[in-house]
Amino acid sequence: GAGVSQSPSNKVTEKGKDVELRCDPISGHTALYWYRQRLGQGLEFLIYFQGNSAPDKSGLPSDRFSAERTGESVSTLTIQRTQQEDSAVYLCASSTRTGVNTEAFFGQGTRLTVV
Amino acid sequence: AQRVTQPEKLLSVFKGAPVELKCNYSYSGSPELFWYVQYSRQRLQLLLRHISRESIKGFTADLNKGETSFHLKKPFAQEEDSAMYYCALSTGRRALTFGSGTRLQVQP
């Protein structure tokens, strides 16, 4: 596709339910990142995948959060037993590699609202 | 640990006035610095990177290693510059680290 695609664009869920967010990176991009953006705040790093290396999960806020990526394709971010503080915009980005002077291309985000 | 600080949440200026968005970073090595911008209802996108030493839409940013700063400047602000601006740091080993962002409002 022309850019990074995320689905759904909006998700309203009840507290305690599980949600799955999807990210389609730009074809050929080996690096993929997930960020969270709470209302009025900056981008909070969650997890990043680089090729076949073990993902950097250091930003995941709790064990309710997990993410998968198969090869260099689609990634899914799963939040189990959602809480109201999980409400945020979840942004996905991809790049050709993690390294010097690498531009990250962002999706439009998934706005998650936990009620 | 790497960290990016943007001290101003909101910067409001009049059209034609100079603009400086502040960014300070902490990292012991040699980082790569970027400015990303998010216009209303658009996705986050790269504005400029320090290694290119370029001017984009009239904006420039100079890396000052002594002061560990990468402030974004424009001599004459335009209304279309109104947006959220994020400073970001890359060390080559990890994902981009972003600052908390500064909202620039350019009033007519």
Side-chain angles (χ1 to χ4, degrees), chain B residues 7-59:
Chain B
E8 303 140 328
K9 276 201 153 181
L10 173 65
L11 183 63
S12 185
V13 301
F14 286 103
K15 176 182 172 182
V19 169
E20 181 178 68
L21 301 171
K22 291 185 167 48
C23 171
N24 288 88
Y25 67 91
S26 62
Y27 179 63
S28 56
S30 294
E32 299 299 325
L33 276 299
F34 306 81
W35 277 98
Y36 279 77
V37 61
Q38 188 168 28
Y39 300 102
S40 179
R41 298 189 188 88
Q42 294 187 28
R43 60 184 68 190
L44 196 61
Q45 59 187 289
L46 178 67
L47 178 63
L48 57 78
R49 63 196 93 186
H50 95 267
I51 199 167
S52 301
R53 303 182 69 82
E54 56 201 346
S55 173
I56 302 293
K57 299 184 179 182
F59 284 97

Side-chain angles (χ1 to χ4, degrees), chain A residues 29-32 48-54 69 71-72:
Chain A
H29 280 193
T30 58
L32 185 147
Y48 114 81
F49 299 88
Q50 172 57 58
N52 294 320
S53 302
R69 186 186 188 195
E72 296 179 0

Side-chain angles (χ1 to χ4, degrees), chain A:
Chain A
V4 178
S5 178
Q6 292 186 245
S7 60
S9 54
N10 280 285
K11 176 72 177 179
V12 180
T13 189
E14 291 181 353
K15 178 181 172 181
K17 298 278 177 126
D18 297 352
V19 294
E20 197 172 88
L21 312 181
R22 177 188 168 105
C23 173
D24 265 288
I26 293 173
S27 178
H29 280 193
T30 58
L32 185 147
Y33 325 79
W34 283 98
Y35 291 89
R36 177 169 70 178
Q37 187 175 30
R38 288 193 170 122
L39 187 64
Q41 299 187 23
L43 276 72
E44 177 187 5
F45 165 71
L46 297 177
I47 186 170
Y48 114 81
F49 299 88
Q50 172 57 58
N52 294 320
S53 302
D56 178 354
K57 304 180 181 181
S58 60
L60 294 178
S62 77
D63 58 8
R64 296 187 295 104
F65 287 73
S66 63
E68 291 184 353
R69 186 186 188 195
T70 305
E72 296 179 0
S73 61
V74 171
S75 175
T76 55
L77 176 69
T78 302
I79 308 173
Q80 295 178 309
R81 305 181 301 282
T82 52
Q83 304 294 314
Q84 287 188 328
E85 64 262 27
D86 299 334
S87 296
V89 175
Y90 289 82
L91 291 171
C92 176
S94 71
S95 65
T96 53
R97 57 182 170 84
T98 302
V100 170
N101 204 26
T102 302
E103 177 179 357
F105 293 84
F106 281 83
Q108 80 282 14
T110 294
R111 182 177 299 278
L112 175 67
T113 304
V114 182
V115 297

